[in-house]
């Protein structure tokens, strides 16, 4: 066997969403973020378009700027009758309590030879690589995609092209809590084996 399959399987099964509210003040290092992003780039992608784009908010001032912008976009994009103070507070707080926040975006191929859904899927695969790498480091990661992420206001803030999309924010930090356990349904609940 080329790789240690039991370790790879354990890594995959250990990946969890760790909410920023569980993060400590311990900083994620730049070289760790670089490897997380470097591994993201090895995701499968049709036509080798490499549609992923990453905007990293690492410095405190950058995370403050993101925090303020998320609050402003929420108040602008969400009807006043639908606004929720707790949701707004969470949007504003999360960049401030995270070590690093990464906006994960899809850069639409100019020629549009590849269907958009396949470009989005490629970015989602990149996110899985990011989260697996973070897990290997013992770093918590949380993929957040509130509705405002898909707004033109967010696209403008991130300086994306017209057909590009922000697909979420990845919050990174060390967890102050014990790494959570989970389970999945047995394979037979969601798999059909065709024999003819």
């Amino acid at each position: 066997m080329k790789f240690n399959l039991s370790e790879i399987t354990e890594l995959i099964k250990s990946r969890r969403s760790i909410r920023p509210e569980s993060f400590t003040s311990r900083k994620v290092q730049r070289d760790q973020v670089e490897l997380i992003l470097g591994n993201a780039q090895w995701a499968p992608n049709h036509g080798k378009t490499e549609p992923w784009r990453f905007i990293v908010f690492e410095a405190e001032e950058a995370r403050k700027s993101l925090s303020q912008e998320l609050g402003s976009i929420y108040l602008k994009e969400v009807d006043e009758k639908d606004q929720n103070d707790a949701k707004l507070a969470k949007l504003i707080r999360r960049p401030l309590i995270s070590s690093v926040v990464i906006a994960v975006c899809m850069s639409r191929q100019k020629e549009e030879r590849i269907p958009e859904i396949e470009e989005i899927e490629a970015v989602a695969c990149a996110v899985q690589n990011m989260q697996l790498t973070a897990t290997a480091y013992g770093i918590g990661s949380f993929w957040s995609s509130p509705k405002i992420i898909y707004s033109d206001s967010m696209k403008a803030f991130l300086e994306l092209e017209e057909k590009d999309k922000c697909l979420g924010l990845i919050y990174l930090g060390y967890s102050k809590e014990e790494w959570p356990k989970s389970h999945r349904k047995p394979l037979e609940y969601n798999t059909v084996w065709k024999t003819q």
Side-chain angles (χ1 to χ4, degrees):
M1 200 167 297
K2 190 171 181 180
F3 298 100
N4 185 324
L5 196 53
S6 62
E7 286 188 2
I8 293 169
T9 300
E10 188 59 32
L11 173 62
I12 291 168
K13 289 182 174 182
S14 296
R15 188 220 48 82
R16 293 286 169 276
S17 293
I18 309 291
R19 297 180 186 279
E21 290 77 14
S22 296
F23 292 165
T24 68
S25 59
R26 181 179 171 192
K27 295 297 177 197
V28 175
Q29 299 303 307
R30 169 71 66 95
D31 63 326
Q32 294 172 313
V33 177
E34 288 174 352
L35 184 60
I36 287 168
L37 295 175
N39 285 350
Q41 297 190 105
W42 288 95
N45 58 109
H46 188 181
K48 297 183 180 175
T49 59
E50 300 185 29
W52 39 78
R53 297 296 180 271
F54 309 111
I55 301 162
V56 182
F57 298 85
E58 179 186 35
E60 185 176 356
E61 284 306 311
R63 288 182 288 108
K64 280 182 183 176
S65 172
L66 174 62
S67 168
Q68 293 167 356
E69 195 63 31
L70 288 172
S72 297
I73 292 172
Y74 180 86
L75 293 173
K76 176 183 175 185
E77 295 289 336
V78 177
D79 286 337
E80 194 171 338
K81 64 178 174 49
D82 297 325
Q83 291 177 8
N84 177 298
D85 289 342
K87 282 184 181 179
L88 175 60
K90 185 165 52 174
L91 276 172
I92 292 170
R93 184 176 63 251
R94 282 184 165 171
L96 304 177
I97 59 176
S98 300
S99 181
V100 177
V101 186
I102 302 169
V104 178
C105 306
M106 182 272 296
S107 177
R108 188 71 174 115
Q109 183 189 42
K110 300 279 187 265
E111 302 81 11
E112 298 187 21
R113 288 193 314 268
I114 306 298
E116 183 186 57
I117 186 64
E118 294 185 21
E119 302 283 61
I120 292 169
E121 291 163 345
V123 176
C125 289
V127 170
Q128 175 77 343
N129 285 2
M130 292 170 71
Q131 293 190 303
L132 290 174
T133 307
T135 300
Y137 272 128
I139 295 169
S141 64
F142 187 75
W143 183 1
S144 176
S145 55
K147 288 181 183 178
I148 64 164
I149 287 296
Y150 308 116
S151 68
D152 287 339
S153 299
M154 189 69 183
K155 192 182 291 188
F157 171 66
L158 296 173
E159 300 177 357
L160 301 180
E161 299 291 329
E162 182 186 352
K163 294 189 177 180
D164 297 350
K165 291 187 182 335
C166 178
L167 300 181
L169 299 172
I170 305 294
Y171 295 93
L172 297 175
Y174 285 94
S175 180
K176 59 188 169 195
E177 299 168 6
E178 188 175 324
W179 201 265
K181 304 246 185 271
S182 190
H183 66 279
R184 294 292 188 267
K185 293 177 183 175
L187 198 58
E188 58 265 23
Y189 280 86
N190 50 37
T191 305
V192 175
W193 297 87
K194 294 287 190 181
T195 56
Q196 296 184 25

